[in-house]
Amino acid sequence: MTSIKRPLIAALAGVLLAGCASNNSYENQGGTGTSRTATYGGIGALAGAVAGAAIDHNNRGKGALIGAAAVGAAAAGYGYYADRQEAELRRQMQNTGVEVQRQGDDIKLIMPGNITFATDSADISGNFYQPLNNLASSFKQFNQNSIEIVGYTDSTGSRTHNMDLSNRRAQSVANYLIAQGVDASRVSTRGAGPDQPIASNVTPDGRAQNRRVEVNLRPLPGATTAPAQ
């Protein structure tokens, strides 16, 4: 009996410690909240370890570890998937000017006007292509979320003109991503014009920040997939 319990207990302890240590340092922008990976993965790992030990009668310690890893990842579900996607997006968007934000299972990418569009234009700027190529690659690898593209403008000009311009900006980004192989059924667009400014429209720099595109990633209905490899 002792020879069975010791490896099982060790396996459980190891998995729980790993889960507790897996904090999402990006959630709430520097908060200390535990990620869904740790919360659900740790609980699922307990069940997996017990099941694994029961299945592998010849080596219960090894079976417990295998079961814990497999079931723990599955129990973490979309949270684990989003953790992986967020980390990859942060790596790809480094030094591009694109900001990555995380709120729960949702990921937001903020692309300011100084890299996206010139004033009063819906034509993609030359230095915006590389970030978009990286996004397309990521969206094809991580394909379990919807992609909402929202265009914004500064407050210069009429509201009617700005609403139309913001729609065209969002559509320009969508068209490019789809042309790079992103599934069109996942993509939606809308224009918000000058609404929800993130900076003052009084200065040129503030207007450039408001002339932005935001991409919102949300789980597709029923998305509880294992992480992309």
Side-chain angles (χ1 to χ4, degrees):
M1 180 67 69
T2 300
S3 63
I4 294 175
K5 287 184 178 179
R6 284 179 179 171
L8 177 57
I9 292 171
L12 289 173
V15 170
L16 285 176
L17 285 172
C20 291
S22 178
N23 290 332
N24 183 354
S25 60
Y26 303 128
E27 191 164 0
N28 298 323
Q29 294 297 300
T32 57
T34 303
S35 70
R36 289 173 181 262
T37 304
T39 303
Y40 299 116
I43 295 171
L46 281 172
V50 173
I55 292 170
D56 192 341
H57 299 289
N58 295 323
N59 191 336
R60 291 179 184 270
K62 178 181 178 182
L65 285 171
I66 294 172
V71 181
Y78 188 84
Y80 180 61
Y81 179 89
D83 287 348
R84 286 282 307 279
Q85 184 177 26
E86 178 191 9
E88 179 64 13
L89 285 169
R90 287 184 180 277
R91 184 188 69 79
Q92 291 184 332
M93 294 300 108
Q94 274 187 326
N95 303 318
T96 65
V98 176
E99 181 182 352
V100 181
Q101 295 183 354
R102 173 78 176 274
Q103 184 62 48
D105 281 343
D106 297 343
I107 299 173
K108 175 180 288 188
L109 299 148
I110 301 176
M111 307 168 189
N114 62 338
I115 66 167
T116 54
F117 303 100
T119 302
D120 201 28
S121 173
D123 295 330
I124 294 173
S125 297
N127 59 351
F128 192 27
Y129 284 110
Q130 189 57 54
L132 287 179
N133 289 337
N134 291 344
L135 284 182
S137 175
S138 177
F139 293 163
K140 288 186 289 185
Q141 178 186 8
F142 293 89
N143 59 5
Q144 296 300 307
N145 37 38
S146 62
I147 304 166
E148 181 193 38
I149 302 170
V150 187
Y152 293 89
T153 67
D154 59 36
S155 62
T156 305
S158 71
R159 179 174 179 80
T160 299
H161 175 74
N162 283 330
M163 292 300 293
D164 175 69
L165 178 59
S166 63
N167 270 301
R168 289 189 287 117
R169 285 176 170 169
Q171 193 61 54
S172 289
V173 173
N175 290 343
Y176 187 81
L177 293 175
I178 292 168
Q180 302 309 304
V182 176
D183 183 356
S185 68
R186 297 169 56 202
V187 180
S188 63
T189 64
R190 64 183 176 91
D195 296 345
Q196 302 172 19
I198 59 174
S200 170
N201 279 299
V202 174
T203 65
D205 179 67
R207 290 192 293 273
Q209 291 183 60
N210 292 332
R211 273 194 318 272
R212 69 195 187 278
V213 172
E214 294 185 359
V215 178
N216 300 310
L217 306 177
R218 301 184 179 94
L220 291 170
T224 55
T225 184
Q229 298 299 319

